[in-house]
Amino acid sequence: MSAPAPAPPRGAPRAVQPTLEEIGTPLHEVTFVVVDLETTGGSPATSAITEIGAVKVRGGQVLGEFGTLVDPGGPVPAFISTLTGITTSMLVGAPRIGEVLPSFLEFAHDAVLVAHNARFDVGFLKAAAAELGHPWPGPQVLDTVALARRAVTRDEVPNHKLSTLAAFFGATVTPNHRALEDARATVDVLHALLARLGPLGITHLEDLATATDPVPDARRRKRHLADGLPDAPGVYQFRDVHGEILYVGTATSIRRRVRSYFTAAEQRKRMNEMVGLAHDVVPIVCATVLEAQVRELRLIAQHAPRYNRRSRFPERMPWVRLTVEPYPRLSLVREVRPGGGPGPLEAEAHIGPFASRSGAEQAIAALHASFPIRQCSGRLPARPAAGASPCALAGMGRCGAPCTGGQDASGYAEVTAAVRAAMQGDPSVVVTHHAERIARLVAAERFEEAAAVRDRLQAFLRAAARAQRSRRLGALDELVAARPHEGGWEIVVVRHGRLGATTRTPPGADPRESIPALLSTAEHVQHPVLPATSAHPEETDLVLGWLEQDGVRLVQVGAGWACPVRGAEAFRSQGATAAAVADTARTLRTA
């Protein structure tokens, strides 16, 4: 995989010169068009525009103005004339909105649209565009009312009306309910509001999208931690002032993802606490999204950051093992060790690993319900001990009682072979037994018990399928695969289930030319004890998921890349287990 970026010294700024593209667009480089409308009423459904006024500004300088009366196609109500001073006679000969709107949209092209109570003004403009059949360009819209509520408290002003704010900020123009004058006053208010919000981290165009969100000031001030981060796939690490890794995450765009932690989009209490402790963010750019996901898992497993909850302790994920002894049994283990398998680096039958102990216990229960394998926990001698007595399960016919000589070694070996076959190959015996049980419970309307049996079956099938998939990938010394991506190719090298290297070729380049160099730099990986792989179980799942995507091509692969025809993987598809239960229910009804 590509080499990670070196971490900066503790407490030192990141030694990267950020580009403007990486930081975003500074507000002094953004073009704003501040617009105000006068209308014949409050709703675009029943009223029309009588005047449009707009001011184009950038960096505090006025670039242009747009102002015109508009013929609404009808009389102006008396109370509107009293409020604005615009009378019906003043609008005689004025252009209709169909002539004015295209000119205004051209004036406002590629600018951020600003209005005081923007829902009103933009609502009328959008309604006019829809009525004329003119496509609405969808500009970014900024409402100075919402900004004012964020920046100016009620202790300072009694309300957030334009006239109140203009007086409070000492605007050079007094609002008078005429479009252009009000737009000019709104420009002064906008500049004053942005000056107030700057110290809170709202300094770039991208910040405006969340400027009115209810984000605590302390969290918003840390927005600068995202400055200079790359807009590329990779892993990011939040670190505290002492350099301790607090949290590790992955993203298709590191910059956009880290920025989201300083907005109202982040609602998780633990993450808000983590951001409060964060002093720096360290990025690791990755060639592909798969590499980023794998690096995240490895870093979490290595450092166990306190604010990461998943994947921190892969060694705690249990397996269900068929033990190696004269009379094998099922047991929970934390590690796959050699012994009992057909080869020196293969173990006796295992399924898993499981996310929790309860899931493993459910899978064991499924096997115990399907086969008369012993359930006692002690190791039994090859010859029964004198005076041994059978357990209750033997009396119920659910165990052959090898502990008392009720079943000899060859007879018990047949049971063990059936259990091994269900774990490593065809699980149909387990599926049929549970499907019959579920069908009878449903027929008796014992639905809760049926659901419990279903959950037990699914726990077994998931674990058996996971182990079969893990064995297939772990056995391969090397696999090379490629997938088309944005005109180029993503290429991965997998060794014994572990991602050894990955790269991305540019559009038009022959991907085969990069494979020899990739293989020469790929990580050397030791052969695992099957069915485990040489990687974190979740890393193996990620690699398998990537290989199963549409468009992936196997470039080089060794022998053994196959799965049992009737293996547990057949039940991974949506509804496969339910279909098996339904088929069994139909069979029982017709029997």
Side-chain angles (χ1 to χ4, degrees), residues 417-510:
V419 174
R420 183 183 298 109
M423 294 172 70
Q424 295 182 331
D426 185 358
S428 59
V429 174
V430 181
V431 173
T432 301
H433 174 86
H434 284 72
E436 290 176 352
R437 176 66 175 158
I438 291 170
R440 291 192 178 97
L441 289 171
V442 170
E445 298 185 355
R446 294 161 63 183
F447 301 115
E448 291 185 2
E449 293 179 64
V453 175
R454 176 205 62 200
D455 293 345
R456 190 171 66 195
L457 173 61
Q458 289 180 337
F460 164 76
L461 289 174
R462 282 194 300 267
R466 192 175 194 183
Q468 290 171 15
R469 286 156 56 81
S470 174
R471 173 184 289 272
R472 181 169 77 246
L473 195 60
L476 291 176
D477 293 334
E478 187 170 88
L479 179 149
V480 182
R483 182 178 77 100
H485 179 75
E486 297 180 355
W489 289 83
E490 291 181 352
I491 305 174
V492 304
V493 176
V494 182
R495 291 175 174 169
H496 298 301
R498 183 177 175 89
L499 184 64
T502 181
T503 190
R504 187 167 58 187
T505 62
D510 186 350

Side-chain angles (χ1 to χ4, degrees), residues 14 16-19 22-24 201 203-204 207 221-230 255 258-259 262 280-281 283:
R14 193 181 302 109
V16 175
Q17 177 62 47
T19 64
E22 291 174 335
I23 296 175
T203 57
H204 294 74
D207 302 328
R221 287 192 187 98
K222 292 202 172 184
R223 156 68 177 75
H224 70 279
L225 295 180
D227 292 349
L229 296 179
R255 183 172 73 234
V258 172
R259 277 179 176 163
F262 311 108
D280 193 17
V281 179

Side-chain angles (χ1 to χ4, degrees), residues 464-552:
R466 192 175 194 183
Q468 290 171 15
R469 286 156 56 81
S470 174
R471 173 184 289 272
R472 181 169 77 246
L473 195 60
L476 291 176
D477 293 334
E478 187 170 88
L479 179 149
V480 182
R483 182 178 77 100
H485 179 75
E486 297 180 355
W489 289 83
E490 291 181 352
I491 305 174
V492 304
V493 176
V494 182
R495 291 175 174 169
H496 298 301
R498 183 177 175 89
L499 184 64
T502 181
T503 190
R504 187 167 58 187
T505 62
D510 186 350
R512 292 170 295 185
E513 296 179 357
S514 64
I515 292 177
L518 193 64
L519 290 175
S520 66
T521 57
E523 177 185 0
H524 175 72
V525 179
Q526 294 286 343
H527 196 295
V529 179
L530 301 177
T533 67
S534 295
H536 187 302
E538 291 184 29
E539 177 177 337
T540 300
D541 291 342
L542 286 171
V543 171
L544 284 166
W546 187 92
L547 290 171
E548 292 169 349
Q549 292 182 98
D550 292 338
V552 171

Side-chain angles (χ1 to χ4, degrees), residues 144-478:
T144 50
V145 172
L147 283 181
R149 288 173 179 158
R150 179 78 178 83
V152 185
T153 67
R154 285 299 180 94
D155 293 335
E156 297 175 291
V157 294
N159 56 59
H160 296 104
K161 294 180 180 179
L162 179 59
S163 57
T164 303
L165 293 172
F168 176 74
F169 288 122
T172 57
V173 179
T174 301
N176 61 358
H177 293 290
R178 294 298 300 268
L180 188 55
E181 293 298 299
D182 285 5
R184 290 168 176 163
T186 305
V187 168
D188 290 341
V189 170
L190 171 66
H191 288 156
L193 291 172
L194 293 180
R196 279 199 164 203
L197 292 171
L200 299 181
I202 300 171
T203 57
H204 294 74
L205 174 62
E206 292 74 14
D207 302 328
L208 290 177
T210 59
T212 59
D213 290 346
V215 180
D217 291 347
R219 177 147 57 103
R220 192 183 289 278
R221 287 192 187 98
K222 292 202 172 184
R223 156 68 177 75
H224 70 279
L225 295 180
D227 292 349
L229 296 179
D231 185 17
V235 177
Y236 54 91
Q237 305 171 37
F238 279 92
R239 300 190 179 199
D240 67 10
V241 69
H242 304 295
E244 178 190 350
I245 297 177
L246 300 172
Y247 182 79
V248 176
T250 183
T252 55
S253 169
I254 296 175
R255 183 172 73 234
R256 288 198 300 269
R257 181 67 186 97
V258 172
R259 277 179 176 163
S260 70
Y261 286 92
F262 311 108
T263 70
E266 182 53 73
Q267 298 290 334
R268 293 172 292 176
K269 183 178 179 181
R270 284 174 57 84
M271 291 298 98
N272 291 335
E273 180 181 308
M274 181 275 295
V275 169
L277 297 173
H279 177 70
D280 193 17
V281 179
V282 178
I284 302 175
V285 176
C286 300
T288 63
V289 173
L290 175 62
E291 181 187 348
Q293 294 170 331
V294 168
R295 282 197 181 277
E296 178 192 31
L297 282 174
R298 293 181 185 178
L299 286 168
I300 292 172
Q302 178 183 356
H303 298 287
R306 51 178 146 156
Y307 289 97
N308 283 99
R309 287 186 170 177
R310 72 177 185 91
S311 311
R312 293 201 302 171
F313 306 107
E315 69 279 0
R316 296 182 183 177
M317 300 178 72
W319 295 74
V320 172
R321 181 194 189 201
L322 187 63
T323 61
V324 180
E325 54 184 307
Y327 296 100
R329 56 192 168 82
L330 297 170
S331 69
L332 285 178
V333 295
R334 297 290 185 185
E335 181 183 0
V336 178
R337 297 181 179 179
L345 288 176
E346 293 190 59
E348 178 57 290
H350 284 66
I351 59 174
F354 296 82
S356 65
R357 183 182 180 89
S358 61
E361 290 171 345
Q362 282 188 312
I364 290 177
L367 288 167
H368 282 160
S370 305
F371 301 100
I373 189 170
R374 71 184 184 96
Q375 300 183 31
C376 48
S377 58
R379 184 182 180 92
L380 297 183
R383 294 183 179 182
S389 59
C391 63
L393 290 174
M396 293 185 289
R398 295 176 58 185
C399 178
C403 57
T404 63
Q407 188 176 34
D408 60 16
S410 61
Y412 193 82
E414 293 179 4
V415 175
T416 304
V419 174
R420 183 183 298 109
M423 294 172 70
Q424 295 182 331
D426 185 358
S428 59
V429 174
V430 181
V431 173
T432 301
H433 174 86
H434 284 72
E436 290 176 352
R437 176 66 175 158
I438 291 170
R440 291 192 178 97
L441 289 171
V442 170
E445 298 185 355
R446 294 161 63 183
F447 301 115
E448 291 185 2
E449 293 179 64
V453 175
R454 176 205 62 200
D455 293 345
R456 190 171 66 195
L457 173 61
Q458 289 180 337
F460 164 76
L461 289 174
R462 282 194 300 267
R466 192 175 194 183
Q468 290 171 15
R469 286 156 56 81
S470 174
R471 173 184 289 272
R472 181 169 77 246
L473 195 60
L476 291 176
D477 293 334
E478 187 170 88

